Amino acid sequence: MNTECVAMLLAGGQGSRLGSLTFNNAKPAVLFGGKYRIIDFPLSNCMNSDIDVVGVLTQYRPYILNNYIGDGSAWALDQIQGGVHILPPYMGQKGGRWYSGTADAIYQNLDFIDRFDPEYVLILSGDHIYKMDYSHMLAFHKEKEADLTIAVMDVPWEDAHRFGIVNTDEDHCIKEFQEKPEHPKSNKASMGIYIFTWKELKKALQDDAGNRESEHDFGHNVIPALHESGKRIFAYPFSGYWRDVGTVQSYYDANMDLLDTNCDFDLSDRSFRIFSNNTSRHPQFIGPQARITNSLICDGCIIFGKVENSILSHDVVIHKKTSLKNVIVHTGAIIEDGAILENCIVGARARIKGDARYITDPADATPEIHVINN
Amino acid sequence: MKNAVGLILNMDGEDDSLKGFLQHRSLSTLPFGGRYRLIDFTLSNMVNSGISHIGVIGSHKYSSLVDHLGTGKEWSLSRKTQDLSILSGSNNYHIGRLIKVNLRNLQNNRGYLDATAAEHVLIATPNLVTTFDFRHAYDLHLKNDSDITLIFKKDDPLYHLKDNDLYLEFSKNRVSGLHYKREHTTGHFFTEMFFVKKTVLEELLDLSERTGDWDLMDMIKYNIDTLKVFGAQHSGYIKRVNCLENYMKASMDLLEYDIMQELFLGKNSIHTKIKDNHPTLYNDPAQVSNSIVGSGCTIDGIINHSIIFRDTQMNIGSHIQNSIIMQRCEIGRNVNLNYVVMDKDTKISDHTTLVGKPHAPIVLKKGTVI
């Protein structure tokens, strides 16, 4: 078992900006690309990076997430002693409390990490869609003899103000942080992926826990404090597909990227696969009058209607005389005879009546995305 | 069903018409319905009926069976309370005719029978396409205190029975006669699923040791007056895949929504080995109708009335109809296929046209490149 680097996945956030998609489900467990859940991406990345120990910090609405992670075997994280561990808040001798921030969540689980005695700790979050071999980042971290390495990527300058921006020297050493700056000095955005040298992280978290002013957040408190104290912080440059899916619009756009042939994010690439916890379902049944174009369809779907530029999760039933265009449908939803849907996200097990009409003006280049749940 | 153990063994042999598919696999692991193997139906039916210990007797071509079943996890048979045993394989004793249940195959696995505490054995063939809840038949078996309960179905001309298939004759509600089709037909045929008391099975095994008659169905047939044999009716959909024609028919039946609904959308599902595939991508030129499609495919062509298994790649300008395309096939551009059955890993290059006949489809063996 490889315990040189242990991964800690922050999966406790509510994801309130995803609206009703997270009413009874934690954000990392929200469906993506039909069959996947967001957490498949960091977990599959761990698997593809030979990381054998992953702690998943859960807090908000954890049932679906816990159930989905199961014994971790879907991501080959079911080995004896290692593997995936779900870490909810807990009671101790002095009582217990909720995780009050990303750093606090890790702080409360210092003994979990100590148990594996790693050299490095990888901090991940459960709301990004990307493929990344963390072992390259770890090699970079070691090469730079860094205390902390932050994965960064170049974003378009006009979007830079929405990100945490870092400014580096030629050696990738971070000289300055700017959180959502009005006037960004660079376009290198933090991806929310950190590798810490464990002893530095442990000390930083202990210091942070004693600081009453702190919000116990990595981005706002822990990392700036390390920077101020002169630690070696480096930016690991990543180039490739990476999307934050924290809002309805960004979630929708990232899903639709999968239907865009010009997009280089390829889920069918066998050399770096994204795994998921699959259950047995019947194959897709495509009825005589069905018409499907440019769409992703999962097992268990039954389709009698017209589906265009859409993504259907498992067990979706599309009755006849229906028309779906630019729609994401989650597991088990039923679209009844005659419904017409455009630019929507239909929640899991929703039943859409035949008289439903969600039609957008074709002239509107950026129509609002409706989230339909019932 | 705690008191019954399941035993799966092929009662139909391997018909010559299926030879093309069975060079490297047994009939039980013949791919079916876009993602399944034939044995999934019998195995899932047993599991869904509450049978927790199941033994499978394979043929000498074991690797695909072992690869498919693994530890039985996908059928919930890898638990401390439920298990799947892959038993010693059968020998195809072909002395002039096919023996449906060869007792030598059970004799070879006597240890498995001896070790089970169950008092009843459910024996079924792995090549049935059906969803069947054995509980009702089992209750009848217990209520009648039967030695043997044969599950039968009303005769159906579409069923395409063979000369050595068996028909049941009833007197009152008991089975009073068993007849091979070549001898005599009645309105009820044997589905190749039955319950037998373990003690009765053991007696018959001992008897066959002495007499040298190894055909269990023959022994039941000739001892029908002394054995207590009852029937339990199967009233739903059932097809037995015992030749290419029946394989085609059973496959195409899935495209009838009613049948598909009965097989796959009921309370109990048919379990199979799980693969990590991406969802199937239908590109802009794709036109798919009246078909079953597995996951992991990329489709750019026109498909109607066909069954497409997982991981198939189909290019632009191609047209598939009335065909079965098994796993990981690649179909080039402007290919035309009608009544073709392609085994796994087959590749068809651009501008190829293959047209078979409804009763004689073109069969392409595993790994063929055209």
Side-chain angles (χ1 to χ4, degrees), chain A residues 35 273 281 284 294 299, chain B residues 35 276-277 282 290-291 293:
Chain A
K35 70 174 285 194
R273 282 168 85 175
R281 290 178 165 89
Q284 303 155 34
N294 201 36
D299 285 339
Chain B
R35 66 175 298 168
D276 264 285
N277 289 320
Y282 295 81
N290 203 24
S291 293
V293 183

Side-chain angles (χ1 to χ4, degrees), chain B residues 172-185:
Chain B
K172 291 179 188 155
N173 61 349
R174 242 173 103 158
V175 178
S176 57
L178 266 183
H179 306 285
Y180 289 106
K181 186 185 172 193
R182 59 178 178 268
E183 301 164 352
H184 176 60
T185 61

Side-chain angles (χ1 to χ4, degrees), chain A residues 2 48 147 163 167 193 250 277 284-285 358 361 372:
Chain A
N2 176 7
N48 286 310
D147 298 314
F163 292 92
N167 301 319
I193 301 162
S250 64
N277 190 351
Q284 303 155 34
F285 181 88
Y358 288 87
D361 179 2
I372 316 170

Side-chain angles (χ1 to χ4, degrees), chain A residues 1 21 32 91 263-264 315 346:
Chain A
M1 188 170 67
L21 295 176
F32 183 83
M91 293 288 288
C263 174
D264 59 359
D315 301 333
V346 179

Side-chain angles (χ1 to χ4, degrees), chain A residues 33 35-36 268 270 273 275-276 278 280-288 291-297 299 302, chain B residues 33 35-36 254 260 265 271-272 274 276-280 282-284 286-293 311:
Chain A
K35 70 174 285 194
Y36 304 95
S268 63
R270 293 260 161 178
R273 282 168 85 175
F275 293 86
S276 55
N278 301 290
S280 186
R281 290 178 165 89
H282 62 82
Q284 303 155 34
F285 181 88
I286 314 297
R291 180 87 176 86
I292 305 169
T293 47
N294 201 36
S295 295
L296 277 172
I297 318 272
D299 285 339
I302 296 174
Chain B
R35 66 175 298 168
Y36 303 96
L254 300 179
M260 188 269 179
L265 304 183
H271 308 282
T272 190
I274 288 166
D276 264 285
N277 289 320
H278 59 87
T280 284
Y282 295 81
N283 281 323
D284 263 341
Q287 273 184 50
V288 181
S289 67
N290 203 24
S291 293
I292 280 188
V293 183
D311 290 324

Side-chain angles (χ1 to χ4, degrees), chain B residues 80-184:
Chain B
K80 287 190 175 172
T81 50
Q82 295 178 230
D83 56 62
L84 175 71
S85 309
I86 296 188
L87 301 177
S88 299
S90 72
N91 292 305
N92 284 335
Y93 303 100
H94 245 294
I95 315 154
R97 66 188 176 90
L98 175 81
I99 294 178
K100 286 220 173 273
V101 180
N102 192 322
L103 287 169
R104 267 179 283 204
N105 293 328
L106 300 185
Q107 190 69 38
N108 289 343
N109 292 294
R110 194 73 187 252
Y112 181 75
L113 284 175
D114 290 343
T116 174
E119 291 175 65
H120 302 277
V121 184
L122 166 60
I123 301 180
T125 194
N127 52 328
L128 295 172
V129 178
T130 185
T131 49
F132 186 68
D133 189 336
F134 289 106
R135 275 172 286 209
H136 175 63
Y138 182 62
D139 290 345
L140 276 177
H141 178 70
L142 296 184
K143 200 180 102 206
N144 293 330
D145 189 30
S146 334
D147 291 334
I148 292 163
T149 300
L150 302 170
I151 295 161
F152 68 93
K153 170 115 182 107
K154 267 203 177 134
D155 203 5
D156 176 350
L158 291 174
Y159 201 81
H160 194 66
L161 289 161
K162 292 189 174 184
D163 275 356
N164 71 333
D165 282 321
L166 286 153
Y167 281 87
L168 280 67
E169 188 178 315
F170 289 93
S171 161
K172 291 179 188 155
N173 61 349
R174 242 173 103 158
V175 178
S176 57
L178 266 183
H179 306 285
Y180 289 106
K181 186 185 172 193
R182 59 178 178 268
E183 301 164 352
H184 176 60

Side-chain angles (χ1 to χ4, degrees), chain B residues 240-259:
Chain B
R240 199 164 68 215
V241 176
N242 51 4
C243 59
L244 181 60
E245 193 181 343
N246 277 349
Y247 176 74
M248 281 302 277
K249 275 187 185 155
S251 296
M252 294 309 170
D253 277 354
L254 300 179
L255 303 177
E256 306 286 329
Y257 187 60
D258 293 348
I259 294 173

Side-chain angles (χ1 to χ4, degrees), chain B residues 322-342:
Chain B
N322 307 308
S323 295
I324 299 173
I325 313 296
M326 293 184 198
Q327 228 168 300
R328 282 196 306 274
C329 286
E330 284 173 32
I331 293 155
R333 289 161 175 255
N334 304 313
V335 170
N336 235 307
L337 304 177
N338 197 358
Y339 294 107
V340 175
V341 186
M342 282 166 63

